[in-house]
């Protein structure tokens, strides 16, 4: 899981960020392929649950968005 865009230090959606449905909030890496993970709804990021560059399981939460 990548919480920051490649070659950048700033996360896609840090705590306090306003996100819109469909915004990229992370990148999921499968072998050499990177797939965008998008926000399911409009809201404000209140907590980041996952850590950058870690393995996460299917269905695991990445962040919490307050609607």
């Amino acid at each position: 899981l990548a919480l920051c865009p490649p070659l950048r230090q700033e996360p896609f959606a840090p705590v306090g960020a306003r996100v819109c449905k469909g915004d990229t909030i992370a990148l999921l890496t499968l072998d050499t392929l990177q797939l965008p993970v998008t926000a399911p709804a409009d809201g404000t990021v209140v907590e980041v649950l996952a850590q950058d560059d870690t393995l996460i399981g299917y269905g695991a939460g990445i962040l919490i968005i307050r609607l």
Side-chain angles (χ1 to χ4, degrees):
L1 179 71
L3 298 174
C4 300
L7 305 176
R8 291 189 150 174
Q9 297 295 320
E10 189 127 348
F12 285 106
V15 172
R18 180 95 178 121
V19 295
C20 296
K21 182 178 181 177
D23 285 353
T24 299
I25 58 170
L27 293 174
L28 185 62
T29 303
L30 302 169
D31 202 17
T32 59
L33 180 65
Q34 285 192 316
L35 302 170
V37 177
T38 58
D42 296 350
T44 302
V45 177
V46 294
E47 186 177 355
V48 177
L49 303 173
Q51 293 182 349
D52 200 30
D53 292 328
T54 59
L55 180 65
I56 61 169
Y58 180 80
I62 296 173
L63 47 85
I64 297 175
I65 300 172
R66 181 183 309 139
L67 305 178

